[in-house]
Amino acid sequence: MRRQVLLFFSALCLSAALGQVSYSIPEEMTKGSLVGNIAQDLGLDVKRLKERRARIHTGDSAEYIQLNKEKGLLIIKERIDREALCAQTTPCALHFQIALENPIEIFPITVEIKDINDNAPSFQREEKNIEISESAVTGSKFMLEKAIDPDIGLNGLQSYTLKPNDNFIIRLHSQVDGVKKVEMILQKPLDREKQEFASLLLTAVDGGQPQRSGSMQIHITVLDVNDNAPVFTQTVYKASVKENSLKGTIITKVSASDADKGSNGEVSYTISHNMIGTSNLFHISEDGHLILDGPIDFEKARNYEIDVEAVDRGGLSDSSKVIIDVGDINDNSPVINMISSSNSVGEDSPSSTVVAVMSITDPDSEENGKVRCVINRNIPFKITSTSSNFYSLLTDSELDRERASEYNITVTCSDEGVPSLSSSVTLTLQISDVNDNPPVFERSSYEAYLVENNTPGLSIFTVRARDADWNQNARVSYILEDSSVNGVPVSSYVSVSADSGVIHAVRSFDYEQIKDFQFHVKAQDGGSPPLSSNVTVKILIQDQNDNPPQVLYPVQSGGSVVAEMVPRSADVGYLVTKVVAVDVDSGQNAWLSYKLQKATDRALFEVGLQNGEIRTIRQVTDKDAVKQRLTVIVEDNGQPSRSATVIVNVAVADSFPEVLSEFTDFPHDKEYNDNLTFYLVLALAVVSFLFITCLVVIISVKIYRWRQSRILYHSNLPVIPYYPPRYSDTLGTGTLQHVYNYEVCRTTDSRKSDCKFGRAGSENVLIMDPSSTGTMQRIQNEKSILDEPDSPLE
C-alpha cells in the first residue's frame, strides 16, 4: 500500500489544454481517494460549481469517479482494476465529461490509469508432458506454453528460468505482436538408458516491485529414435471471419508434414492459448481445420493471434501463428447519451441558445460507425456537431409560446452502414412565457344602451379583453381612464369592475339632461412590466316616457278667465283656436294626440287629432249658448301613455260687452281658493311665532343687563368717569367741563356703527379719530352701563 501511495504522488500530473483536463492515478486506489481538485483546475468557484448543478457524464460506461460538489474534488467511487478495464491496451484511460448548466458547458476529463504490479505471471496448465526421442540432436527446439501476466510494462512478464538445466536451456524469440515465444533447446543429447524420465520447473518472472512469479512443472519422457520433426507449410497463416459468425464456422486450415514414416510421421495439432479469453472461441481438428467455437465481436477484439503446434508421435513438434482478422458488420445502432438538457426555455431566448448537449457513439468501424443526426422538421430548432461525437441542440429562430407552448423534439441518429441502423430519443421542451402580448379587446369600440331612470349600481354591460400570454402575464385588470363629461368626472357616471370588466351605472340618468357620453377603459395585464390597451365605450341613454305633455297655449291662469271669441256668423270649419303642447321626451314618447274630453256642446266643436286645432263642425246659430267650456286632453304615445288637460273657454258672441256680462259669473276654481286659504293661514302662524320669539329674547336681555348693573352698584369701588382720549372742547382749554349724554348704536357689522352724542349748553364739537378702534370699544362699553336705569353715572 505504501508503494501505491508513493507511485500515485509520483505519477499524478495535470494538463489543461483547450478546456481538457487530464489526471494520472494508479489502479487499485481505495474508495474515496483523491483524484484531483477539479474546481481549481477548471478555474471555477466551488459555490458556482454547486449552483450550476455540476455532474459527471460517463455515457454507458461504469462510473468509477465521482464529484464532491461541496469541495470541488474528484474522488474514487469504485475500485479500478486496470486489467479488467483495458486488458493489454496502453495507455489505459477513463474518459468522461463534467456538465455545467446555466449556461450549459461541457469539460472533457481524462484520467489515465497507471499499472501496478498486482498480478503474478501464470500458466494455464500446472504441468506439461513432453516425449523426446533419445536421438534428438543438440539444438532441437521444444515449444513451451507462454506464461500470462495481465500487467504491462515493467510489471509484465520479463523472463523465464528452467531448473535444473543440465540438458536444456530456455530461449525467447520476439514476435511481430511483441509477445515472446518460449522455446526449450536441447543442449546435451539424451540417453534413455541413463534417464528415461526428467522433471523440470519452468518459472516466469515479472519486473515489478516486489517481484512476482509463476511456475509450471515439465515432465519429460525420453523415447526411442524419431529424427524428423513436423514442419508447417507456412510460418504465419492469415484468415478473416465476420463478427457474429455462427458456431462451427471453419476459419482456415493449417498443414504440417513429417518426413518420418509410420507412427513417427503421424502429426496432431494443438492450440496454444496464449491470449486471455481465446480458449472458448476456437478449436482445431485433427486434420488442421481451425473452427469457431463461440461468438466473436469486432467491438471487443478486432483480431486474434493463435499459436498452433504440430506434434508427431515421437514428440517432435513445430509451431506456426494464425492471425485472424475479425470483419465488422453493422450490428450496432448509434447510442445517444443525453449529457445535459433543459426542461424549459424562455420564449425571448435569442437564436442559437443551447437547449441540450448529447454524445453519440457507434462501436462499429468505418462507414458502419459514421453517424448523422437529424431532428423532426418544421420546428424552430437545429442540431449541430460540436466535436467528433458531441452534438448540441440549439434554437434556430424566435420562439413564441402563444403559437406553441411545448415541443416534442425527436433526435434521430443513423449510421451509414448497409442496412443503416438508427436510434432516436425524444426531448419534451416547455416554452416559458414572457409578457410580450398586451390585452386585446374583443371589439375595437363598444356601444351600450341604458334606459333612463335606472337604479344606481345597475350593470350596464361587460367589456372583455383577452391576453395571449399565460398565468400572471395573462391576468387582465380593467381600469376606468380619467376623463370628464360636461365638466363632471366620468367616475361619477360609471364604474368598472377591475376583475370582470362589468360596467355599472353610478347614478340614475335622465335622458332630457344627457343623451350619450363616452369614456375609455384600459385593460392591463399582470406582467412585469405590465402591458395595456384602451377601448372607447359609448353609452347611449334611451328615453323613457317619464314626462307628461306640457300645454303652452292657452295659458292656464288661476284668477283670470281667458276666452276665445267665435262670431255667430262662423261657418263650418271655423278655426277657433289651437292647443299647443310639447313633450320633453323623444321619439314616440313625444308624439302627441289631442282629444276632446268634455264640451258644453259636443256637436259644435271638434279637435284635430294631430295638430290640436279646435274648429266648428257646424254652422253657429243664435240658439247656441254664449259660454262654451271645452276640456281637451293631450296624450303622448308612450307606454304607458301620459296626458295633460286644458280648459278652453269659448265665447259665442259678436260684441265684447256681451262677452263680459256673461263671463263675470264664472266661478273661480275651488281648488285654487282652497290652496290660497291654506297659504294665508300658514303665513299668519309663522309671523306670530317669530313675534313671540323676539319678545322673549328682548325681555331676557333686559333682565340680564339689569342684574349686571345691580352688582356694580352695590360694590365699594369708587366710580371714576372715563372720557375718551383725543376728544376736546373746542371753546375751552384742558379737559371736558361738561357732562355729555351720548348714545352708541351698533349693528352686527362694527364698521357700520353709529355714534350719537347729546350736546350741553355750549356748542362743542366732538372729534373722533377713525383709527382709534380701542376708543370706540370703550365708549360702547360705557354706554351699556349708562343705559341701565340704576347706574350711578346717570
Side-chain angles (χ1 to χ4, degrees):
M1 181 62 188
R2 181 173 177 272
R3 186 175 68 87
Q4 291 181 8
V5 174
L6 291 175
L7 180 61
F8 164 68
F9 285 107
S10 64
L12 180 61
C13 67
L14 171 65
S15 67
L18 298 177
Q20 181 169 349
V21 180
S22 300
Y23 297 95
S24 180
I25 61 172
E27 63 172 330
E28 302 292 344
M29 290 181 68
T30 58
K31 223 169 159 183
S33 299
L34 175 66
V35 175
N37 191 332
I38 189 63
Q40 178 181 346
D41 298 335
L42 291 178
L44 297 174
D45 186 26
V46 176
K47 184 179 179 181
R48 286 180 55 82
L49 200 69
K50 186 176 181 180
E51 289 176 351
R52 295 180 63 183
R53 296 168 58 187
R55 65 182 184 279
I56 290 179
H57 175 76
T58 60
D60 291 337
S61 305
E63 189 173 337
Y64 294 98
I65 309 293
Q66 71 178 10
L67 175 64
N68 186 335
K69 296 181 184 178
E70 303 296 331
K71 299 180 180 179
L73 304 177
L74 291 177
I75 58 176
I76 299 297
K77 182 179 180 181
E78 298 290 342
R79 185 183 67 85
I80 302 174
D81 186 358
R82 193 205 67 80
E83 290 74 35
L85 187 64
C86 301
Q88 297 295 313
T89 303
T90 182
C92 179
L94 293 174
H95 300 280
F96 56 90
Q97 298 84 31
I98 290 184
L100 303 178
E101 297 183 0
N102 298 321
I104 295 177
E105 288 186 276
I106 304 298
F107 295 96
I109 308 297
T110 300
V111 178
E112 184 180 359
I113 310 302
K114 292 293 187 178
D115 184 46
I116 63 173
N117 191 25
D118 57 341
N119 293 284
S122 61
F123 294 92
Q124 287 196 348
R125 291 184 293 179
E126 295 181 356
E127 295 181 352
K128 181 176 177 66
N129 296 317
I130 301 177
E131 293 178 345
I132 303 175
S133 174
E134 63 177 338
S135 61
V137 297
T138 303
S140 296
K141 297 181 292 183
F142 302 93
M143 185 177 177
L144 300 179
E145 179 182 345
K146 295 189 291 289
I148 298 173
D149 192 336
D151 296 325
I152 59 173
L154 290 175
N155 296 326
L157 181 64
Q158 298 296 322
S159 61
Y160 292 88
T161 58
L162 185 65
K163 293 179 181 180
N165 54 1
D166 296 336
N167 298 92
F168 299 93
I169 60 173
I170 293 297
R171 183 176 296 169
L172 303 178
H173 294 282
S174 297
Q175 295 179 316
V176 179
D177 58 355
V179 179
K180 294 179 180 181
K181 183 169 66 174
V182 184
E183 291 180 338
M184 186 176 63
I185 309 298
L186 181 65
Q187 66 177 358
K188 288 183 180 181
L190 297 175
D191 188 353
R192 190 187 67 81
E193 287 72 26
K194 289 183 178 180
Q195 187 179 8
E196 185 177 0
F197 301 101
S199 292
L200 306 177
L201 182 64
L202 179 64
T203 303
V205 182
D206 62 22
Q209 293 295 331
Q211 195 175 55
R212 295 174 179 269
S213 62
S215 60
M216 180 180 67
Q217 197 76 34
I218 301 174
H219 302 285
I220 297 175
T221 303
V222 181
L223 302 176
D224 281 336
V225 176
N226 180 21
D227 53 352
N228 290 290
V231 178
F232 278 99
T233 57
Q234 297 179 29
T235 306
V236 177
Y237 292 87
K238 290 187 177 181
S240 63
V241 62
K242 291 290 184 182
E243 64 174 328
N244 297 336
S245 295
L246 298 177
K247 184 179 179 180
T249 300
I250 297 176
I251 299 173
T252 188
K253 182 180 180 181
V254 297
S255 177
S257 59
D258 193 324
D260 294 327
K261 291 185 179 181
S263 60
N264 291 330
E266 295 179 0
V267 179
S268 60
Y269 301 94
T270 59
I271 294 177
S272 177
H273 297 286
N274 299 321
M275 294 181 65
I276 299 175
T278 61
S279 58
N280 297 325
L281 295 180
F282 307 98
H283 79 275
I284 191 167
S285 63
E286 292 181 359
D287 55 357
H289 286 98
L290 187 63
I291 300 172
L292 182 64
D293 266 356
I296 55 176
D297 191 350
F298 174 83
E299 287 71 40
K300 293 181 179 179
R302 300 193 174 190
N303 55 65
Y304 295 92
E305 294 184 3
I306 303 172
D307 292 322
V308 179
E309 183 180 10
V311 182
D312 61 15
R313 293 292 181 91
L316 300 179
S317 65
D318 191 13
S319 64
S320 179
K321 179 179 288 293
V322 179
I323 299 176
I324 303 173
D325 292 325
V326 180
D328 183 36
I329 64 173
N330 193 25
D331 60 341
N332 291 283
S333 300
V335 178
I336 304 173
N337 293 312
M338 195 67 66
I339 297 177
S340 181
S341 63
S342 300
N343 294 326
S344 63
V345 62
E347 63 176 325
D348 59 344
S349 299
S351 182
S352 300
T353 298
V354 179
V355 175
V357 176
M358 61 198 77
S359 65
I360 315 296
T361 56
D362 192 326
D364 295 325
S365 64
E366 298 180 353
E367 298 300 319
N368 296 332
K370 291 181 180 179
V371 178
R372 181 172 53 89
C373 294
V374 296
I375 60 175
N376 42 323
R377 297 181 179 178
N378 302 323
I379 58 174
F381 298 93
K382 63 182 178 180
I383 188 168
T384 59
S385 176
T386 56
S387 61
S388 58
N389 62 339
F390 287 93
Y391 286 81
S392 294
L393 187 63
L394 314 171
T395 58
D396 191 31
S397 60
E398 293 184 354
L399 303 176
D400 190 354
R401 192 205 66 83
E402 288 68 45
R403 286 187 303 200
S405 61
E406 179 182 282
Y407 289 95
N408 290 320
I409 306 171
T410 301
V411 180
T412 303
C413 297
S414 306
D415 59 28
E416 297 184 8
V418 179
S420 176
L421 299 179
S422 64
S423 299
S424 62
V425 63
T426 299
L427 173 66
T428 300
L429 184 65
Q430 303 287 339
I431 307 301
S432 58
D433 185 48
V434 297
N435 192 26
D436 58 346
N437 290 282
V440 177
F441 283 95
E442 294 176 348
R443 302 180 190 173
S444 58
S445 63
Y446 290 87
E447 280 191 2
Y449 295 89
L450 176 63
V451 179
E452 66 172 333
N453 301 321
N454 59 284
T455 304
L458 177 68
S459 172
I460 303 175
F461 77 109
T462 303
V463 294
R464 293 190 185 278
R466 312 232 176 238
D467 196 315
D469 294 322
W470 183 73
N471 206 0
Q472 184 67 25
N473 295 331
R475 187 171 297 168
V476 179
S477 299
Y478 301 92
I479 303 170
L480 181 65
E481 292 278 8
D482 292 334
S483 61
S484 60
V485 178
N486 299 329
V488 179
V490 72
S491 58
S492 64
Y493 285 88
V494 292
S495 65
V496 179
S497 173
D499 296 328
S500 62
V502 177
I503 298 178
H504 297 273
V506 175
R507 64 196 298 180
S508 179
F509 291 94
D510 188 353
Y511 175 83
E512 287 71 40
Q513 293 181 1
I514 182 170
K515 292 180 172 53
D516 61 71
F517 63 95
Q518 66 181 20
F519 53 91
H520 297 284
V521 176
K522 179 170 73 174
Q524 179 174 289
D525 61 26
S528 179
L531 301 179
S532 62
S533 61
N534 293 346
V535 71
T536 300
V537 180
K538 185 174 184 180
I539 304 295
L540 301 172
I541 309 300
Q542 289 185 325
D543 185 40
Q544 195 177 40
N545 192 25
D546 57 342
N547 292 285
Q550 297 177 3
V551 178
L552 302 180
Y553 184 83
V555 178
Q556 302 292 298
S557 61
S560 61
V561 177
V562 178
E564 302 291 340
M565 291 186 61
V566 177
R568 293 188 179 275
S569 60
D571 203 354
V572 177
Y574 177 82
L575 178 61
V576 178
T577 186
K578 182 176 181 179
V579 178
V580 179
V582 295
D583 194 323
V584 293
D585 294 326
S586 64
Q588 67 177 9
N589 295 329
W591 296 351
L592 301 180
S593 60
Y594 303 85
K595 297 177 183 178
L596 184 61
Q597 187 179 28
K598 292 189 298 181
T600 305
D601 187 354
R602 279 186 172 273
L604 183 56
F605 301 100
E606 69 174 357
V607 179
L609 180 64
Q610 303 297 332
N611 53 22
E613 293 178 350
I614 301 176
R615 294 179 181 272
T616 59
I617 57 176
R618 64 174 175 83
Q619 181 72 39
V620 179
T621 64
D622 294 336
K623 296 180 180 180
D624 293 324
V626 175
K627 294 185 295 183
Q628 297 286 336
R629 184 182 179 93
L630 307 179
T631 303
V632 178
I633 183 169
V634 184
E635 290 184 343
D636 59 25
N637 199 35
Q639 293 295 330
S641 65
R642 293 177 175 267
S643 63
T645 58
V646 59
I647 298 175
V648 181
N649 295 312
V650 178
V652 180
D654 291 327
S655 63
F656 188 70
E658 184 181 356
V659 174
L660 287 178
S661 62
E662 292 292 337
F663 277 88
T664 53
D665 297 334
F666 268 119
H668 287 189
D669 194 300
K670 184 178 183 301
E671 182 180 356
Y672 171 77
N673 293 334
D674 292 342
N675 292 338
L676 182 59
T677 303
F678 170 75
Y679 290 126
L680 289 175
V681 173
L682 180 62
L684 180 60
V686 171
V687 171
S688 301
F689 174 75
L690 292 176
F691 174 76
I692 295 172
T693 303
C694 292
L695 190 61
V696 171
V697 171
I698 292 172
I699 295 173
S700 299
V701 171
K702 287 293 184 177
I703 294 173
Y704 173 76
R705 287 182 177 180
W706 177 79
R707 293 189 63 183
Q708 292 294 327
S709 65
R710 296 295 294 175
I711 295 173
L712 181 62
Y713 177 76
H714 290 291
S715 64
N716 296 323
L717 296 176
V719 178
I720 301 173
Y722 169 77
Y723 300 99
R726 298 189 184 184
Y727 284 83
S728 63
D729 190 351
T730 58
L731 297 179
T733 59
T735 59
L736 293 172
Q737 300 296 323
H738 306 283
V739 176
Y740 284 84
N741 293 326
Y742 54 92
E743 182 180 354
V744 178
C745 301
R746 186 174 60 178
T747 65
T748 55
D749 188 354
S750 63
R751 292 177 299 174
K752 297 179 182 178
S753 300
D754 297 328
C755 293
K756 185 168 67 175
F757 300 95
R759 294 177 180 264
S762 61
E763 290 291 326
N764 294 329
V765 178
L766 187 62
I767 301 172
M768 182 179 68
D769 188 355
S771 64
S772 181
T773 57
T775 302
M776 289 299 298
Q777 293 174 357
R778 296 177 66 177
I779 292 171
Q780 293 168 2
N781 292 334
E782 290 178 1
K783 180 62 177 68
S784 65
I785 297 174
L786 292 174
D787 285 343
E788 299 297 330
D790 296 331
S791 173
L793 292 179
E794 253 181 355

